[in-house]
Amino acid sequence: LALSNWAVDYVVTHCCPSRLLAKVSTKDSEKLKRNRLTDYLDNLALQVSFKRWYFGHYHNDQTIDDKYRLLYNDIVRIQI
């Protein structure tokens, strides 16, 4: 990230930042618990400039907002 001046087009992670947990829809509420990883991603989200952030741990397909997308079955074409 330092080499790109903390600016990237896409972020792909397993979990989402903690701040998004309340917006995520899932049948497994156990997965919605805040932890060290989600807190780390929350801090990272404040530091990095990005167009879209994709994550999938919560086994659902959901657009959270214009920057964050939960993916499970959906396929998203990205521009490279």
Side-chain angles (χ1 to χ4, degrees):
L1 286 170
L3 292 175
S4 69
N5 200 29
W6 290 82
V8 296
D9 292 330
Y10 304 102
V11 177
V12 179
T13 58
H14 184 68
C15 296
C16 69
S18 292
R19 74 174 92 201
L20 298 180
L21 289 170
K23 298 178 180 181
V24 171
S25 296
T26 183
K27 293 178 182 171
D28 187 355
S29 61
E30 212 36 51
K31 291 183 178 198
L32 294 176
K33 290 187 176 179
R34 183 179 182 162
N35 58 48
R36 286 184 355 180
L37 175 58
T38 63
D39 287 346
Y40 171 79
L41 296 174
D42 207 40
N43 187 41
L44 183 67
L46 295 173
Q47 297 177 47
V48 69
S49 172
F50 61 94
K51 292 179 184 176
R52 297 284 294 183
W53 186 311
Y54 299 102
F55 57 96
H57 175 65
Y58 310 97
H59 293 197
N60 197 7
D61 295 299
Q62 179 186 359
T63 298
I64 305 299
D65 59 28
D66 62 330
K67 292 189 109 176
Y68 294 93
R69 176 83 187 268
L70 167 58
L71 293 175
Y72 185 57
N73 290 310
D74 285 352
I75 297 171
V76 174
R77 184 178 300 262
I78 60 173
Q79 300 293 327
I80 53 172

